[in-house]
Every structure is written in structure tokens, then in C-alpha cells.
Amino acid sequence: MAEKRPVKITETILRDAHQSLIATRMPTEQMLPIIDVMDQVGYYSVECWGGATFDASLRFLKEDPWERLRKLRDGFKNTKLQMLFRGQNILGYSHYSDDVVEYFVQKSIANGIDIIRIFDCLNDLRNLETAVKAANKEKGHAQVALSYTLGDAYTLDYWKDTAKKIEDMGANSLCIKDMAGLLTPYKAEELVHALKEGTELPIDLHTHYTSGVAAMTYLKAVEAGCDIIDTAISPFSMGTAQPATEVLVETFKGTPYDTGIDQKLLKKVADHFKPYREECLANGLLNPKVMGVNINTLLYQVPGGMLSNLVSQLSEMGADDKFDEVLEEVPRVRKDFGEPPLVTPSSQIVGTQAVLNVVMGERYKMINQQAKDLLSGKYGQTVKPFNPEVQKKAIGDEEPITCRPADLLEPSLPKFEKECAQWKQQDEDVLTYALFPQVAKEFFEYREAQQTKVDPSVADKENGAYPV
């Protein structure tokens, strides 16, 4: 029998699973009762913060995301907590100055995060350096994610060379971030072999079930040497989320890759989330449409979330009949824009431009601001050059940015400190405000109203007057 090499499991139920299936609407009170059991499972880590959880907590749940993190940290005594971090974009959609990035990393780790998964939508490694250095300085674990995509530029040598650069940058581990479910089983085997040649770093694979191949992809990747896989407990697994934790644990049982995880404990975790799943189906939060297999993902390399965005954009314009034309236009626009991976925000930029090109009846008759920013270099460097004619049409004679975009940004923390001074109740409020000024202001006003309405020390939390 081959030597034992247990695969490690990162559980995504508290972040990506509910972000993918129910638009990040799971409240903290749904999470807290099951933490003790989850903490006994023996997960490598639990992904519970970052991505869209921050914005959604403030905007829709009227919860302080920092408070959520502190409560989770109190409950998880033995398990590493993990977050998703969009490089120089942090958790927002545009670049922030280095001082804001550094302070956000510092406060994330101080409040309980162990592993920060850092990615950039263009795989421009310059946009990751500040966050990686900050995580190392705070003694956190910096996991750098490669946004996986297909295209002429993305050869095995490209991935191997990039992995080596990531190791040299000071990352502690490497993640293959397959946000669209494009990685097929045998391609995964090839990719993991190549990365193992290029780097000594542990390799984590993150994919989505959107195209229906994810569990098989994990199997081949683990056999090829992948160290960690991301899974979701069954009630919130599959569809546009990750494969089910229990299924993968059972798959590797009795093999050299045996996780050693007890299915009885996983059943307790699943039983806790089952009624909540039924509730989300009943109130329409969980749409059965996101649970099926969408093979268009592989045909057009369009992530599930981007497909639904295209549908709604066309619907608003009364151009539903143009859907197939738009899907065919997406790869052409992506090529003109330097073949970026399609992940937030590049997926929205390419998708919106494809819609405009088709609906206007003329390519690039109208170019939106985000597309102009991308073509002017404000997001960083793409793997392939832009189509020069399209770039000229977008930015005219303007000189494109060739340096790291954040080098052009002045330190901005003092400005944010000043602007949010009237609402500040904790240091972290400044970061909340820096990322989402309008949403933060509304949340701070709500928080003040709740505090004046009822004294927190004697609040009857059952009556809903005081947010838990």
C-alpha cells in the first residue's frame, strides 16, 4: 500500500457555500450553535470571512462583520479560521492605498483570522505583494491564490513559473482558485504535477460544482499530490457551491489519502444546517436553478454568477433574445482585454462590455467606465497585451499605467479616520468605512439607533430589538 498522505479539508459552509447559493445571507446566529461540533471535526481550516460576507453583513443583515469574526474566534478553539482577500482591492472593487491594505490585514489577524487567501483578478502578482508582506509581518498564514482560467497564455509553464514567483514572494501555501468550475479531472492532474515541480509550497484546490465535474477533479488532484481541498457540508453543497464534505471524506476512506474525519460528527453539522436549507428554499433565498449542472460554463468559460448577471442585464434592456449572441461575444471581448481570468471584478467588466457590443449593434460603440479603467491599466497588467485598436478607442491618447496601480495612490487612512470620526466606536470601524462608505454610514446610524433604544447590557435579545 502507498505511503499515507491524508488530504486536508477546508470547510466552506460559513463563507463560500452560502455566498454561492444564497447570496451570502446566512446570519451569525445560524452559525454559532454548531461551532462546538465543527471544532471537533478536525478540519484543516474553516473559511468563514472575507469575500462578500463583509458587504452582505452590513448591507442586508445589519451585522458588524468584525463582531461576527470575534464570536467565531471565541467558539473555534482548535480550528484555523480562514478568509478570502482580493489583494489590493481588499474586499471591495477598486484598489486601496497600501496603508489601508496593511491595516486591514493587521486587524483581520488581531480579530481571529489565521489564514488569509489572497488573489488578484488579473493574476498580477504586484497587486498581492503588500497583503502578503503584511500577513507575514503579523505572523499570519499567507495563502496566495492563482485565479484559474483557460486561454493561449495559460500554459503549464505559465502556472509553474507563477507558482515559483509566489513562493519567492513569501507565501506559505498556494491555492488553485477555480471560480468557474473550468478545471476538469485530467487537467487537474496535469496542473498539480506541474505546480509540484515548480514549488515546494502546499497546494490547496478550490473549485465549484457548477459544471458538474468538481468531485472527480478533486479525486484526480489529490492522487496527483494536492494537499488540501475545499468542500461544503452537504445541505449547502454542489450547484454553484463546492462538492459535499461527507462525499469526499467517504471517497478517501481506507486509502492513503484518508482524512481521518468522523462521519458521525459531519452528520451533526449537516443536521444543523438542513432545516435552514429548507427555510431558504421556502422563502426563495435558495433558487433550485443554482443547484443544477450548467455545461455552458465549460463551453463559454463563463462562471455561474456571471451567467445570471448577463441574463438580468439583457432582461432590463428588453433584449432577452440576444443571450446566445452575448455568450459568443464574451470570449472575443476577453481576448481584446488581454485574456484576463473571469472573476470579480474582471468578469463583470467583460460581461457588461459584451452586452453593450451586442445590444448597440456595433462593437465598442459604447465603452463603460470600468472597461476604460481596465484598458488604461488601473487594475494592473493582463497576461496578454490589450487589442491596441480597442485600447485606443477607450482611452484615446491617454498614457496607460504601467507601474503597480497602488504606487499612484496616496496614503488614505488619515482621511478615512477623519471622515468617520463621528461614528467610530472601535478601531475597525475606520476600515469598514474605508471599504463601503455609504453602506457603513447607514449601518453606523442603525447601530446608534439600536443602542439608544435599548441598553445593551440588559437587552432582551429575543425580541429582536438588539442585533445579536
mmCIF file with all atom_site columns, all heavy atoms in Angstrom, residues 6 73 84 89 177 205 313 320 337 364 369 399 403 422 434 446 452:
data_model
loop_
_atom_site.group_PDB
_atom_site.id
_atom_site.type_symbol
_atom_site.label_atom_id
_atom_site.label_alt_id
_atom_site.label_comp_id
_atom_site.label_asym_id
_atom_site.label_entity_id
_atom_site.label_seq_id
_atom_site.pdbx_PDB_ins_code
_atom_site.Cartn_x
_atom_site.Cartn_y
_atom_site.Cartn_z
_atom_site.occupancy
_atom_site.B_iso_or_equiv
_atom_site.pdbx_formal_charge
_atom_site.auth_seq_id
_atom_site.auth_comp_id
_atom_site.auth_asym_id
_atom_site.auth_atom_id
_atom_site.pdbx_PDB_model_num
ATOM 1   N N   . PRO A 1 6   ? -2.646  11.861 4.112   1.00 0.00 ? 6   PRO A N   1
ATOM 2   C CA  . PRO A 1 6   ? -4.040  12.292 4.326   1.00 0.00 ? 6   PRO A CA  1
ATOM 3   C C   . PRO A 1 6   ? -4.315  13.653 3.671   1.00 0.00 ? 6   PRO A C   1
ATOM 4   O O   . PRO A 1 6   ? -3.501  14.570 3.806   1.00 0.00 ? 6   PRO A O   1
ATOM 5   C CB  . PRO A 1 6   ? -4.154  12.408 5.858   1.00 0.00 ? 6   PRO A CB  1
ATOM 6   C CG  . PRO A 1 6   ? -2.994  11.640 6.404   1.00 0.00 ? 6   PRO A CG  1
ATOM 7   C CD  . PRO A 1 6   ? -1.925  11.690 5.369   1.00 0.00 ? 6   PRO A CD  1
ATOM 8   N N   . ARG A 1 73  ? -14.258 33.344 16.460  1.00 0.00 ? 73  ARG A N   1
ATOM 9   C CA  . ARG A 1 73  ? -12.947 33.052 17.061  1.00 0.00 ? 73  ARG A CA  1
ATOM 10  C C   . ARG A 1 73  ? -13.108 32.523 18.489  1.00 0.00 ? 73  ARG A C   1
ATOM 11  O O   . ARG A 1 73  ? -12.420 31.587 18.894  1.00 0.00 ? 73  ARG A O   1
ATOM 12  C CB  . ARG A 1 73  ? -12.085 34.322 17.050  1.00 0.00 ? 73  ARG A CB  1
ATOM 13  C CG  . ARG A 1 73  ? -10.699 34.196 17.642  1.00 0.00 ? 73  ARG A CG  1
ATOM 14  C CD  . ARG A 1 73  ? -9.742  33.374 16.779  1.00 0.00 ? 73  ARG A CD  1
ATOM 15  N NE  . ARG A 1 73  ? -9.928  31.934 16.834  1.00 0.00 ? 73  ARG A NE  1
ATOM 16  C CZ  . ARG A 1 73  ? -9.385  31.086 15.978  1.00 0.00 ? 73  ARG A CZ  1
ATOM 17  N NH1 . ARG A 1 73  ? -8.652  31.512 14.979  1.00 0.00 ? 73  ARG A NH1 1
ATOM 18  N NH2 . ARG A 1 73  ? -9.594  29.785 16.098  1.00 0.00 ? 73  ARG A NH2 1
ATOM 19  N N   . LEU A 1 84  ? -11.102 35.194 2.630   1.00 0.00 ? 84  LEU A N   1
ATOM 20  C CA  . LEU A 1 84  ? -10.741 35.481 1.242   1.00 0.00 ? 84  LEU A CA  1
ATOM 21  C C   . LEU A 1 84  ? -10.512 36.982 1.104   1.00 0.00 ? 84  LEU A C   1
ATOM 22  O O   . LEU A 1 84  ? -11.324 37.788 1.552   1.00 0.00 ? 84  LEU A O   1
ATOM 23  C CB  . LEU A 1 84  ? -11.857 35.034 0.296   1.00 0.00 ? 84  LEU A CB  1
ATOM 24  C CG  . LEU A 1 84  ? -11.555 35.226 -1.197  1.00 0.00 ? 84  LEU A CG  1
ATOM 25  C CD1 . LEU A 1 84  ? -10.431 34.304 -1.652  1.00 0.00 ? 84  LEU A CD1 1
ATOM 26  C CD2 . LEU A 1 84  ? -12.795 34.981 -2.042  1.00 0.00 ? 84  LEU A CD2 1
ATOM 27  N N   . ASN A 1 89  ? -7.513  45.134 -3.726  1.00 0.00 ? 89  ASN A N   1
ATOM 28  C CA  . ASN A 1 89  ? -8.926  45.539 -3.627  1.00 0.00 ? 89  ASN A CA  1
ATOM 29  C C   . ASN A 1 89  ? -9.504  45.223 -2.246  1.00 0.00 ? 89  ASN A C   1
ATOM 30  O O   . ASN A 1 89  ? -10.650 45.573 -1.964  1.00 0.00 ? 89  ASN A O   1
ATOM 31  C CB  . ASN A 1 89  ? -9.786  44.778 -4.654  1.00 0.00 ? 89  ASN A CB  1
ATOM 32  C CG  . ASN A 1 89  ? -9.476  45.167 -6.089  1.00 0.00 ? 89  ASN A CG  1
ATOM 33  O OD1 . ASN A 1 89  ? -8.572  45.941 -6.337  1.00 0.00 ? 89  ASN A OD1 1
ATOM 34  N ND2 . ASN A 1 89  ? -10.198 44.608 -7.025  1.00 0.00 ? 89  ASN A ND2 1
ATOM 35  N N   . LYS A 1 177 ? -7.453  28.608 -7.576  1.00 0.00 ? 177 LYS A N   1
ATOM 36  C CA  . LYS A 1 177 ? -8.810  29.130 -7.360  1.00 0.00 ? 177 LYS A CA  1
ATOM 37  C C   . LYS A 1 177 ? -9.595  29.009 -8.664  1.00 0.00 ? 177 LYS A C   1
ATOM 38  O O   . LYS A 1 177 ? -9.474  29.843 -9.562  1.00 0.00 ? 177 LYS A O   1
ATOM 39  C CB  . LYS A 1 177 ? -8.725  30.591 -6.897  1.00 0.00 ? 177 LYS A CB  1
ATOM 40  C CG  . LYS A 1 177 ? -10.073 31.248 -6.622  1.00 0.00 ? 177 LYS A CG  1
ATOM 41  C CD  . LYS A 1 177 ? -9.856  32.654 -6.072  1.00 0.00 ? 177 LYS A CD  1
ATOM 42  C CE  . LYS A 1 177 ? -11.105 33.505 -6.131  1.00 0.00 ? 177 LYS A CE  1
ATOM 43  N NZ  . LYS A 1 177 ? -12.269 32.968 -5.422  1.00 0.00 ? 177 LYS A NZ  1
ATOM 44  N N   . LEU A 1 205 ? -6.755  23.129 -3.496  1.00 0.00 ? 205 LEU A N   1
ATOM 45  C CA  . LEU A 1 205 ? -7.593  23.290 -4.692  1.00 0.00 ? 205 LEU A CA  1
ATOM 46  C C   . LEU A 1 205 ? -8.988  23.725 -4.281  1.00 0.00 ? 205 LEU A C   1
ATOM 47  O O   . LEU A 1 205 ? -9.618  23.108 -3.426  1.00 0.00 ? 205 LEU A O   1
ATOM 48  C CB  . LEU A 1 205 ? -7.655  21.980 -5.497  1.00 0.00 ? 205 LEU A CB  1
ATOM 49  C CG  . LEU A 1 205 ? -8.580  21.967 -6.727  1.00 0.00 ? 205 LEU A CG  1
ATOM 50  C CD1 . LEU A 1 205 ? -8.275  23.098 -7.693  1.00 0.00 ? 205 LEU A CD1 1
ATOM 51  C CD2 . LEU A 1 205 ? -8.477  20.633 -7.462  1.00 0.00 ? 205 LEU A CD2 1
ATOM 52  N N   . GLN A 1 313 ? -29.098 41.594 -16.995 1.00 0.00 ? 313 GLN A N   1
ATOM 53  C CA  . GLN A 1 313 ? -28.774 42.801 -17.776 1.00 0.00 ? 313 GLN A CA  1
ATOM 54  C C   . GLN A 1 313 ? -29.587 42.845 -19.075 1.00 0.00 ? 313 GLN A C   1
ATOM 55  O O   . GLN A 1 313 ? -30.155 43.881 -19.439 1.00 0.00 ? 313 GLN A O   1
ATOM 56  C CB  . GLN A 1 313 ? -27.278 42.834 -18.124 1.00 0.00 ? 313 GLN A CB  1
ATOM 57  C CG  . GLN A 1 313 ? -26.412 43.358 -16.985 1.00 0.00 ? 313 GLN A CG  1
ATOM 58  C CD  . GLN A 1 313 ? -24.930 43.400 -17.362 1.00 0.00 ? 313 GLN A CD  1
ATOM 59  O OE1 . GLN A 1 313 ? -24.443 42.548 -18.092 1.00 0.00 ? 313 GLN A OE1 1
ATOM 60  N NE2 . GLN A 1 313 ? -24.213 44.367 -16.858 1.00 0.00 ? 313 GLN A NE2 1
ATOM 61  N N   . ASP A 1 320 ? -33.728 39.906 -24.188 1.00 0.00 ? 320 ASP A N   1
ATOM 62  C CA  . ASP A 1 320 ? -33.529 38.504 -23.777 1.00 0.00 ? 320 ASP A CA  1
ATOM 63  C C   . ASP A 1 320 ? -33.111 37.603 -24.947 1.00 0.00 ? 320 ASP A C   1
ATOM 64  O O   . ASP A 1 320 ? -32.391 36.629 -24.765 1.00 0.00 ? 320 ASP A O   1
ATOM 65  C CB  . ASP A 1 320 ? -34.830 37.930 -23.176 1.00 0.00 ? 320 ASP A CB  1
ATOM 66  C CG  . ASP A 1 320 ? -35.216 38.650 -21.893 1.00 0.00 ? 320 ASP A CG  1
ATOM 67  O OD1 . ASP A 1 320 ? -34.325 38.817 -21.053 1.00 0.00 ? 320 ASP A OD1 1
ATOM 68  O OD2 . ASP A 1 320 ? -36.374 39.047 -21.749 1.00 0.00 ? 320 ASP A OD2 1
ATOM 69  N N   . PHE A 1 337 ? -9.364  42.278 -24.269 1.00 0.00 ? 337 PHE A N   1
ATOM 70  C CA  . PHE A 1 337 ? -8.989  42.842 -22.966 1.00 0.00 ? 337 PHE A CA  1
ATOM 71  C C   . PHE A 1 337 ? -7.802  42.105 -22.318 1.00 0.00 ? 337 PHE A C   1
ATOM 72  O O   . PHE A 1 337 ? -7.599  42.187 -21.109 1.00 0.00 ? 337 PHE A O   1
ATOM 73  C CB  . PHE A 1 337 ? -10.192 42.788 -22.006 1.00 0.00 ? 337 PHE A CB  1
ATOM 74  C CG  . PHE A 1 337 ? -11.264 43.816 -22.294 1.00 0.00 ? 337 PHE A CG  1
ATOM 75  C CD1 . PHE A 1 337 ? -11.243 44.585 -23.450 1.00 0.00 ? 337 PHE A CD1 1
ATOM 76  C CD2 . PHE A 1 337 ? -12.327 44.019 -21.410 1.00 0.00 ? 337 PHE A CD2 1
ATOM 77  C CE1 . PHE A 1 337 ? -12.237 45.524 -23.714 1.00 0.00 ? 337 PHE A CE1 1
ATOM 78  C CE2 . PHE A 1 337 ? -13.330 44.957 -21.667 1.00 0.00 ? 337 PHE A CE2 1
ATOM 79  C CZ  . PHE A 1 337 ? -13.278 45.714 -22.828 1.00 0.00 ? 337 PHE A CZ  1
ATOM 80  N N   . TYR A 1 364 ? -17.945 48.096 -29.409 1.00 0.00 ? 364 TYR A N   1
ATOM 81  C CA  . TYR A 1 364 ? -17.250 49.217 -28.747 1.00 0.00 ? 364 TYR A CA  1
ATOM 82  C C   . TYR A 1 364 ? -17.781 50.594 -29.156 1.00 0.00 ? 364 TYR A C   1
ATOM 83  O O   . TYR A 1 364 ? -17.061 51.578 -29.107 1.00 0.00 ? 364 TYR A O   1
ATOM 84  C CB  . TYR A 1 364 ? -15.726 49.121 -28.960 1.00 0.00 ? 364 TYR A CB  1
ATOM 85  C CG  . TYR A 1 364 ? -15.187 47.800 -28.457 1.00 0.00 ? 364 TYR A CG  1
ATOM 86  C CD1 . TYR A 1 364 ? -14.720 46.823 -29.336 1.00 0.00 ? 364 TYR A CD1 1
ATOM 87  C CD2 . TYR A 1 364 ? -15.185 47.503 -27.092 1.00 0.00 ? 364 TYR A CD2 1
ATOM 88  C CE1 . TYR A 1 364 ? -14.264 45.591 -28.878 1.00 0.00 ? 364 TYR A CE1 1
ATOM 89  C CE2 . TYR A 1 364 ? -14.729 46.269 -26.621 1.00 0.00 ? 364 TYR A CE2 1
ATOM 90  C CZ  . TYR A 1 364 ? -14.269 45.315 -27.522 1.00 0.00 ? 364 TYR A CZ  1
ATOM 91  O OH  . TYR A 1 364 ? -13.825 44.121 -27.057 1.00 0.00 ? 364 TYR A OH  1
ATOM 92  N N   . GLN A 1 369 ? -17.152 52.765 -18.034 1.00 0.00 ? 369 GLN A N   1
ATOM 93  C CA  . GLN A 1 369 ? -16.013 53.339 -17.307 1.00 0.00 ? 369 GLN A CA  1
ATOM 94  C C   . GLN A 1 369 ? -15.055 52.277 -16.769 1.00 0.00 ? 369 GLN A C   1
ATOM 95  O O   . GLN A 1 369 ? -13.838 52.421 -16.837 1.00 0.00 ? 369 GLN A O   1
ATOM 96  C CB  . GLN A 1 369 ? -16.519 54.237 -16.156 1.00 0.00 ? 369 GLN A CB  1
ATOM 97  C CG  . GLN A 1 369 ? -15.419 55.045 -15.472 1.00 0.00 ? 369 GLN A CG  1
ATOM 98  C CD  . GLN A 1 369 ? -14.606 55.915 -16.438 1.00 0.00 ? 369 GLN A CD  1
ATOM 99  O OE1 . GLN A 1 369 ? -15.152 56.638 -17.250 1.00 0.00 ? 369 GLN A OE1 1
ATOM 100 N NE2 . GLN A 1 369 ? -13.275 55.806 -16.371 1.00 0.00 ? 369 GLN A NE2 1
ATOM 101 N N   . GLU A 1 399 ? -1.938  58.239 -21.627 1.00 0.00 ? 399 GLU A N   1
ATOM 102 C CA  . GLU A 1 399 ? -0.800  57.329 -21.415 1.00 0.00 ? 399 GLU A CA  1
ATOM 103 C C   . GLU A 1 399 ? -1.229  56.205 -20.467 1.00 0.00 ? 399 GLU A C   1
ATOM 104 O O   . GLU A 1 399 ? -1.625  56.470 -19.330 1.00 0.00 ? 399 GLU A O   1
ATOM 105 C CB  . GLU A 1 399 ? 0.362   58.125 -20.807 1.00 0.00 ? 399 GLU A CB  1
ATOM 106 C CG  . GLU A 1 399 ? 1.728   57.452 -20.896 1.00 0.00 ? 399 GLU A CG  1
ATOM 107 C CD  . GLU A 1 399 ? 2.183   57.178 -22.324 1.00 0.00 ? 399 GLU A CD  1
ATOM 108 O OE1 . GLU A 1 399 ? 1.968   58.033 -23.215 1.00 0.00 ? 399 GLU A OE1 1
ATOM 109 O OE2 . GLU A 1 399 ? 2.749   56.089 -22.529 1.00 0.00 ? 399 GLU A OE2 1
ATOM 110 N N   . CYS A 1 403 ? 3.011   51.000 -14.168 1.00 0.00 ? 403 CYS A N   1
ATOM 111 C CA  . CYS A 1 403 ? 3.515   50.638 -12.837 1.00 0.00 ? 403 CYS A CA  1
ATOM 112 C C   . CYS A 1 403 ? 2.436   49.887 -12.062 1.00 0.00 ? 403 CYS A C   1
ATOM 113 O O   . CYS A 1 403 ? 1.319   49.710 -12.551 1.00 0.00 ? 403 CYS A O   1
ATOM 114 C CB  . CYS A 1 403 ? 3.916   51.897 -12.071 1.00 0.00 ? 403 CYS A CB  1
ATOM 115 S SG  . CYS A 1 403 ? 2.517   52.976 -11.667 1.00 0.00 ? 403 CYS A SG  1
ATOM 116 N N   . GLN A 1 422 ? -17.119 60.697 13.698  1.00 0.00 ? 422 GLN A N   1
ATOM 117 C CA  . GLN A 1 422 ? -18.359 60.865 14.468  1.00 0.00 ? 422 GLN A CA  1
ATOM 118 C C   . GLN A 1 422 ? -19.051 59.544 14.796  1.00 0.00 ? 422 GLN A C   1
ATOM 119 O O   . GLN A 1 422 ? -19.839 59.461 15.728  1.00 0.00 ? 422 GLN A O   1
ATOM 120 C CB  . GLN A 1 422 ? -19.317 61.794 13.714  1.00 0.00 ? 422 GLN A CB  1
ATOM 121 C CG  . GLN A 1 422 ? -19.861 61.185 12.427  1.00 0.00 ? 422 GLN A CG  1
ATOM 122 C CD  . GLN A 1 422 ? -20.661 62.198 11.624  1.00 0.00 ? 422 GLN A CD  1
ATOM 123 O OE1 . GLN A 1 422 ? -20.136 62.856 10.729  1.00 0.00 ? 422 GLN A OE1 1
ATOM 124 N NE2 . GLN A 1 422 ? -21.948 62.320 11.927  1.00 0.00 ? 422 GLN A NE2 1
ATOM 125 N N   . ALA A 1 434 ? -13.844 52.744 5.171   1.00 0.00 ? 434 ALA A N   1
ATOM 126 C CA  . ALA A 1 434 ? -12.944 52.885 4.016   1.00 0.00 ? 434 ALA A CA  1
ATOM 127 C C   . ALA A 1 434 ? -13.404 52.031 2.839   1.00 0.00 ? 434 ALA A C   1
ATOM 128 O O   . ALA A 1 434 ? -13.349 52.452 1.688   1.00 0.00 ? 434 ALA A O   1
ATOM 129 C CB  . ALA A 1 434 ? -11.516 52.488 4.417   1.00 0.00 ? 434 ALA A CB  1
ATOM 130 N N   . TYR A 1 446 ? -27.779 52.956 12.095  1.00 0.00 ? 446 TYR A N   1
ATOM 131 C CA  . TYR A 1 446 ? -28.658 51.897 12.607  1.00 0.00 ? 446 TYR A CA  1
ATOM 132 C C   . TYR A 1 446 ? -28.173 51.423 13.988  1.00 0.00 ? 446 TYR A C   1
ATOM 133 O O   . TYR A 1 446 ? -28.952 51.280 14.916  1.00 0.00 ? 446 TYR A O   1
ATOM 134 C CB  . TYR A 1 446 ? -28.677 50.724 11.612  1.00 0.00 ? 446 TYR A CB  1
ATOM 135 C CG  . TYR A 1 446 ? -29.283 49.453 12.162  1.00 0.00 ? 446 TYR A CG  1
ATOM 136 C CD1 . TYR A 1 446 ? -30.660 49.246 12.145  1.00 0.00 ? 446 TYR A CD1 1
ATOM 137 C CD2 . TYR A 1 446 ? -28.466 48.461 12.719  1.00 0.00 ? 446 TYR A CD2 1
ATOM 138 C CE1 . TYR A 1 446 ? -31.219 48.079 12.654  1.00 0.00 ? 446 TYR A CE1 1
ATOM 139 C CE2 . TYR A 1 446 ? -29.012 47.297 13.235  1.00 0.00 ? 446 TYR A CE2 1
ATOM 140 C CZ  . TYR A 1 446 ? -30.385 47.113 13.207  1.00 0.00 ? 446 TYR A CZ  1
ATOM 141 O OH  . TYR A 1 446 ? -30.930 45.962 13.728  1.00 0.00 ? 446 TYR A OH  1
ATOM 142 N N   . THR A 1 452 ? -29.419 53.457 21.494  1.00 0.00 ? 452 THR A N   1
ATOM 143 C CA  . THR A 1 452 ? -30.169 54.429 22.285  1.00 0.00 ? 452 THR A CA  1
ATOM 144 C C   . THR A 1 452 ? -31.539 53.875 22.654  1.00 0.00 ? 452 THR A C   1
ATOM 145 O O   . THR A 1 452 ? -32.112 54.222 23.676  1.00 0.00 ? 452 THR A O   1
ATOM 146 C CB  . THR A 1 452 ? -30.354 55.763 21.521  1.00 0.00 ? 452 THR A CB  1
ATOM 147 O OG1 . THR A 1 452 ? -30.869 55.470 20.225  1.00 0.00 ? 452 THR A OG1 1
ATOM 148 C CG2 . THR A 1 452 ? -29.044 56.504 21.378  1.00 0.00 ? 452 THR A CG2 1
#
